[in-house]
Amino acid sequence: MIKKILAAAALTLAATSITAGAVAAEGSPDAKAGGATERVGAAAVSPSVSPAAEKTFHRGGGLQNYNCPSNRLCVDVWDPTQGTYKVFQFYRCQTHALRGFYSSYTPEIENDQTTGTRSYFERSRGDRYVQSTAKHAERGINWDPINYIDVC
């Protein structure tokens, strides 16, 4: 009798966990708009770049109402581990590999480098997807196909 009770309790617990996970995934910032595929089941990863950016910090509004410092390229992306935006500030001309960058909410870039300087957002090394020419104010970007940032 005790074995039957324990087995029933285990099944109930398993069903509750599966349902809770599905509900959590629906409301996660990784859910795509327009009915596209969701990133369900993936462990939350804090976005990062390699080599490291000059400066990285978390900010509730991301780049909104933030002045990217002169001669810098600034980008923001949602950080699911912190529940806020993570801002990356780049200064050095080099290529950075992206990890954990997903388009959620409204990611943005702001290019405040020297006028005319170009930065490229690449799918694979050398496959330029988006170009940003300094100086320009904030603009949206879709991180999903981008794996590298080539700063100037």
Side-chain angles (χ1 to χ4, degrees):
M1 181 69 168
I2 291 177
K3 286 183 180 180
K4 287 183 181 180
I5 292 172
L6 290 175
L11 284 173
T12 302
L13 180 60
T16 303
S17 296
I18 291 170
T19 303
V23 169
E26 287 176 12
S28 74
D30 286 334
K32 302 290 180 188
T37 306
E38 296 179 357
R39 297 186 192 285
V40 178
V45 174
S46 181
S48 62
V49 297
S50 179
E54 174 192 31
K55 185 175 181 181
T56 304
F57 56 94
H58 288 87
R59 190 167 190 276
L63 293 179
Q64 292 180 348
N65 300 317
Y66 175 75
N67 290 323
C68 186
S70 292
N71 302 317
R72 305 302 192 269
L73 172 70
C74 297
V75 304
D76 71 14
V77 63
W78 185 255
D79 184 346
T81 65
Q82 300 295 316
T84 188
Y85 287 95
K86 190 169 187 178
V87 177
F88 296 85
Q89 183 176 297
F90 301 98
Y91 177 72
R92 224 178 231 157
C93 291
Q94 62 187 160
T95 301
H96 300 268
L98 309 182
R99 180 174 180 257
F101 274 61
Y102 301 109
S103 289
S104 301
Y105 300 109
T106 310
E108 295 176 315
I109 62 175
E110 183 176 342
N111 193 341
D112 201 20
Q113 296 172 293
T114 305
T115 301
T117 302
R118 291 187 178 102
S119 289
Y120 299 96
F121 299 82
E122 304 172 339
R123 290 183 266 220
S124 59
R125 226 19 223 118
D127 179 15
R128 295 176 173 165
Y129 183 71
V130 174
Q131 173 183 303
S132 171
T133 304
K135 297 197 177 233
H136 76 71
E138 297 168 23
R139 68 184 253 200
I141 190 166
N142 178 5
W143 289 121
D144 287 337
I146 298 171
N147 297 306
Y148 298 93
I149 298 175
D150 185 1
V151 180
C152 55

